[in-house]
Amino acid sequence: MVIIFKTKPSIIACGAVAGPLEKKSVFYSYFDSVVEDERWNQKTNEQGHAMMIQEACNIIMKKANITNNLDIDFFLSGDLVNQMTPTNFAARELAVSFIGMFSACATSVSSAIVASLLTELGASKYAIAGSSSQHNSIERQFRYPVDYGGQKPETAQWTVTAAGYALIGKHDPKLPSIVAGTIGKVVDYGEVNPFHMGGAMAPAAFDTISSHLKKRNQKITDYDLIMTGDLGKIGLKILKAMFAQTGAKQEELDIFRDAGAEFYGEDKSFQSGASGAGCSASVYYSYIEQQLKTGRYKRVLLCATGALLSPLSFQQGQSIPCTAHAIEITME
Amino acid sequence: MDQQQYQQIEDQITPPTPYFKNVIKAFLVGGLICTIGHAITYFYIIFFDFTETTVGNPTAATMVFIAMILTGLGLYRKLGQFAGAGSAVPVTGFSNAVVSAAIEHKTEGLVLGVGGNIFKLAGSVIVFGVASAFFVALIKLILVTMGVVEW
Amino acid sequence: MIFIDFLLAFVIGGLICVIGQLLMDVGKLTPAHTLSTLVVAGSILAGLGWYQPLIDLAGAGATIPITSFGNALTTGAIAEAEKHGWVGVLTGMFEVTSSGISAAIVFGFIAALIFKPKGKVN
Amino acid sequence: MKKMALALFCIPFFLFGCSGEQLVEVKNTANAEQNQNVEEVIKNSNDVYAGNAIFIDDQLLVAVQAKPWLDYKKSKIEKNLKKQIEEKYPNLEVFVSADYKLYWETQKLLEEEDEKKVSDELEKLKKLAKEET
């Protein structure tokens, strides 16, 4: 379902922070801050996770010259930990109207869509939207303890420690603006391997991107960039192959990029690339926003993908349902 | 695009599991770990009062201890990524599963965290070991009673 | 001779790990499933009386892989069953021990006290 | 891989090196004939490559090392040797072991002069060998 935002809400400011390992990221120089301690000097991983979210929000407020929390109307955010406690705890400190959003790793975009809707309605002047993930707390929940020596296949991805948030407000012609969004449906092509998220999520991305293009009556070449969230190197290849099968030419396929595939560069120790709710968020709300501002891109489609599994559903032998949400951002 | 078509594309692009490479790596690392264990058995036989029958226990304990140190330093994880079953099947892999779970859940306290989760990964090994021992002994007893086999 | 002794430990130990790797790669089993399968296999071999010869042959090549855990438990249970009959099958469960488990518990606990999980990749 | 190749390359040499005479040493305080016969029995067994035999009073402890690739039938080898020696000397209390621990310790005892010490040590070894896990 495509939503067209007539008032074109703008991204006023962004904040992206990352953990120590993310210094290896090719997007490192675009992040606002990198912390040396994976736990943000807190006692537990989950507290560190919450601290990271708070820091990203503080950076945004500083950038937008907002001194009082209460000037922010809404906080829309999510993460991957059970019941999203890190986000909830960060929201407790922020003390503004808050709805926890969960679309797994697609939360970076789904929260931005809701924030744009609230802005369009006139209900919000400033809304913070985004998502985050912290490697240690996600790995132990979904897979194994971090020090466990399990062998990961080439299709596996590395959950990033990063948070990316955007302050969404009224239209400003000098800033990147959100003109349309697509809320994706849940797609499941029967993938059961939790170490092959790219393969599970690619059909969801394909579905959302093609329906966005169709409803908007656009071609792939209308965009300077179509960036998926965390399909990884192999997932991106699968997505391109799907578009190739529907008749896309090579120059059209070159428009596709994936945040997760590029996140750690060519480093083989991260297998297929990065993943996690913080992966797409930290790249969209740092690198992409800055590229839009400098005018390198005029029109981009950001399509974040999320795998909606839990350790329980996997153990019970269920396949992995996936979703993808997209926003179209333009720069005048 | 239907599920079947997609499956084809996915299978084409997903790199195949490097069976041969994995098997060779598992063989070399697993063999090496056992060889180190073998050296330790000779150490205990020569310098302590252990025979080949009784040396298994101190050897396993020593290997478990070495694996604990490697796990704590974050090295066993790297070994595991390289060796697969080569480092998981020896008792050091069992140790790694126990120790990594214990370290991981320290933040939930010693009782509920460490105590409650220490066998999160390795527990099934104990369950199946004890249960299969019971059933195998039972079957053997039945067969002996029936006179099919001898002890 | 001592060299061949070590070589046998290497080869037999390596081969047991290869079986584990094949269970993971070809059988698509998780590590937990693989190890459980191997432990049960060790129990069955012990029941057939084939595991002790393997230990005699390969030494640590057969005692270090997790299969020996199944062997230790089953050998203990069978010995008790032989001595005490039907009751022995049950009491055998309490007689048998495996140093690997107790060592892992103790060292795991100590490790929890001194180490912090590392989330670093290389 | 190179190491593997090297190891495989070396095996024939080791096999060749082993095919020679067995290393059998017997420590006897009195009877030279007994000495000779026991040595003969051990040497005639194709399954072992080394062995030590120690007589003390009417006791005989034989510690042998089976060829590593025959180790799987260790207990059979022990039984066979025991039977053979007992057939020849029904009056002796014979104890045969293929355990490395016993071989290693008896190696040291061969040099030991003090009979009391040897006797004590043998008792200890027999006890050790009977221990279960």
Side-chain angles (χ1 to χ4, degrees), chain C residues 12-106:
Chain C
I12 303 285
L15 284 178
I16 295 174
C17 293
V18 165
I19 295 170
Q21 187 72 42
L22 291 175
L23 286 173
M24 280 187 198
D25 283 352
V26 182
K28 303 276 174 229
L29 297 185
T30 67
H33 282 90
T34 307
L35 297 185
S36 304
T37 310
L38 286 175
V39 166
V40 173
S43 285
I44 294 171
L45 288 180
L48 296 170
W50 295 351
Y51 207 86
Q52 190 53 43
L54 193 67
I55 293 177
D56 287 340
L57 180 67
T63 57
I64 293 293
I66 200 76
T67 39
S68 80
F69 173 53
N71 169 62
L73 292 174
T74 308
T75 312
I78 289 178
E80 281 289 303
E82 193 178 350
K83 253 190 261 168
H84 306 298
W86 295 97
V87 187
V89 177
L90 276 177
T91 56
M93 298 286 77
F94 309 112
E95 293 278 329
V96 295
T97 46
S98 174
S99 64
I101 294 179
S102 352
I105 295 174
V106 172

Side-chain angles (χ1 to χ4, degrees), chain B residues 37-114:
Chain B
H38 207 56
I40 294 173
T41 65
Y42 274 105
F43 169 79
Y44 278 114
I45 287 176
I46 290 172
F47 295 104
F48 296 90
D49 281 340
F50 289 107
T51 62
E52 283 181 39
T53 330
T54 54
V55 79
N57 281 343
T59 307
T62 311
M63 296 300 279
V64 162
F65 178 77
I66 296 172
M68 166 195 109
I69 300 291
L70 292 178
T71 303
L73 297 175
L75 297 173
Y76 209 89
R77 188 165 49 93
K78 278 172 221 167
L79 183 67
Q81 177 59 35
F82 175 80
S87 64
V89 172
V91 72
T92 47
F94 180 81
S95 167
N96 170 246
V98 171
V99 173
S100 65
I103 297 175
E104 185 70 53
H105 290 278
K106 188 186 178 179
T107 46
E108 284 82 62
L110 287 180
V111 175
L112 297 177
V114 177

Side-chain angles (χ1 to χ4, degrees), chain D residues 3 13 17 21 27 36 69 78 88 95 101 110 128:
Chain D
K3 273 185 206 158
F13 291 91
E21 191 81 333
K27 182 188 173 79
Q36 192 70 29
W69 57 93
E78 285 172 357
K88 279 196 177 158
F95 190 89
K101 176 70 180 172
L110 289 173
L128 261 188

